[in-house]
Amino acid sequence: MNGVALPLEDASYLSGIDAAVRLTPAFRLGSENLDVSDYIKPIPGGRKHRLEPVRTVLDEAMKRYARQDAAASDAWLGPRFHAALRLSRREAGCRDVWRYLGLWAADYVRWRWAAEPDATESDNSVGVERFVGPDSKQALARLWWMTELFRNGSDYSTATLALTNQDIVNNFFRAGAAHHRPTALAFLSVLPRSEDGERLPDGRSANALSKAINAAASTLLLDSLAIDEPLDGAERRHWEALSEDHEVRNFFDEFPEGPDDPPVPPESLETMTTLLAELLTDAPIRGKKKG
């Protein structure tokens, strides 16, 4: 098989691809294999993870969506990938984890990010950052962290909504304010939606609101305006431990359940929704007529 990173298929660790690994254009295009045996090292804490459920949901996403609609797969895949790969936040904060997974699932990375479905020239190869880049760029890290930050306790529906808009992924997701749950959920609630209410198609509004939030507030200020409930460490550990028992095919057509953290306090969500609605009203939106 061409374009695989060997010997990752049989590795028992999640982490370990050094930044100096040689991701040639030929590998990124899928026409050359890559031996990474010298770069494998254990995940922090030594906890092992089953990758079979992850492989199952990635394969299903590539079956459900045509290559030209690959971006649309994010909304379906994000929650299911998050539930299949039950990482702690500490593990997910290790960049080596995503470097490993980016090469382990190189076929998905190419499918999602290739410039053209049948590219034959190296100029059309997938960018290095989609395999081993920062969380906002790496193909799998961005899905996992978007889902983690925009879920509301065990409810993944808000994360799915966030993933329907690439401007949220590319802009607001990178801001510190996205880590404040009342702000993240209020951000979704004030943006215009599609007629069916299931998508956030207006990228200009998302970009304008993101800029307005960054200019108006720090995360510290947001915490004082709208208090959030802390995440439940015991429930998170219980959810992580269930990774051996769940069957990912059971949630292909319905949402899985995330960690049973407390939901965002309604009063905090109301406070931030009011504030962000005012910011959006005053924000300069490209293409919007004044008056």
Side-chain angles (χ1 to χ4, degrees):
M1 181 188 298
N2 286 333
V4 297
L6 304 172
L8 293 184
E9 292 297 335
D10 298 320
S12 58
Y13 303 116
L14 279 176
S15 67
I17 305 305
D18 189 275
V21 70
R22 299 181 303 279
L23 297 182
T24 65
F27 172 76
R28 289 182 279 123
L29 188 62
S31 59
E32 179 179 273
N33 295 337
L34 181 66
D35 184 357
V36 294
S37 57
D38 291 341
Y39 297 96
I40 295 176
K41 47 190 177 182
I43 192 170
R47 197 164 70 97
K48 296 181 180 180
H49 295 262
R50 292 172 57 228
L51 294 184
E52 181 183 356
V54 179
R55 184 73 262 174
T56 298
V57 296
L58 294 178
D59 287 345
E60 182 67 16
M62 291 188 283
K63 290 177 183 177
R64 287 188 174 226
Y65 294 85
R67 170 62 190 84
Q68 59 268 29
D69 296 324
S73 71
D74 288 355
W76 182 88
L77 181 57
R80 291 159 180 87
F81 173 65
H82 186 273
L85 184 64
R86 302 200 170 197
L87 298 176
S88 67
R89 282 197 170 196
R90 178 173 178 265
E91 290 166 338
C94 176
R95 192 166 170 179
D96 278 345
V97 168
W98 301 112
R99 289 171 175 165
Y100 182 100
L101 289 171
L103 301 192
W104 175 79
D107 60 329
Y108 165 77
V109 178
R110 298 185 193 103
W111 175 83
R112 174 61 180 85
W113 293 104
E116 299 176 10
D118 299 315
T120 57
E121 300 294 332
S122 60
D123 288 345
N124 287 326
S125 62
V126 177
V128 172
E129 72 277 4
R130 299 303 180 186
F131 294 95
V132 297
D135 293 344
S136 60
K137 294 287 188 180
Q138 203 273 351
L140 295 170
R142 63 189 287 281
L143 277 179
W144 195 96
W145 276 109
M146 273 288 295
T147 304
E148 175 70 9
L149 295 181
F150 284 92
R151 66 182 174 87
N152 190 11
S154 62
D155 181 7
Y156 280 124
S157 63
T158 47
T160 292
L161 184 62
L163 284 163
T164 65
N165 188 303
Q166 294 300 309
D167 291 281
I168 295 177
V169 184
N170 295 331
N171 293 298
F172 180 64
F173 170 52
R174 295 195 252 181
H179 291 259
H180 183 246
R181 293 196 304 162
T183 300
L185 298 188
F187 188 97
L188 302 180
S189 69
V190 302
L191 292 177
R193 297 197 187 190
S194 60
E195 291 185 4
D196 60 12
E198 296 181 356
R199 291 176 292 113
L200 298 173
D202 190 349
R204 293 179 179 180
S205 293
N207 290 337
L209 182 56
S210 180
K211 291 178 182 178
I213 293 172
N214 290 339
S218 67
T219 303
L220 182 62
L221 175 59
L222 295 174
D223 285 336
S224 65
L225 286 173
I227 297 174
D228 191 13
E229 292 286 345
L231 300 181
D232 191 322
E235 284 294 340
R236 183 56 176 255
R237 289 188 292 273
H238 174 70
W239 177 80
E240 292 166 10
L242 291 177
S243 62
E244 295 295 326
D245 300 323
H246 72 282
E247 172 51 66
V248 294
R249 290 180 178 84
N250 291 340
F251 49 74
F252 276 177
D253 296 312
E254 59 185 37
F255 283 123
E257 289 190 4
D260 195 17
D261 296 307
V264 171
E267 60 275 13
S268 294
L269 181 56
E270 181 179 358
T271 296
M272 293 311 303
T273 299
T274 300
L275 175 59
L276 297 195
E278 293 175 357
L279 286 176
L280 183 59
T281 298
D282 296 333
I285 300 175
R286 185 168 57 88
K288 179 181 178 182
K289 294 181 179 180
K290 296 183 179 180

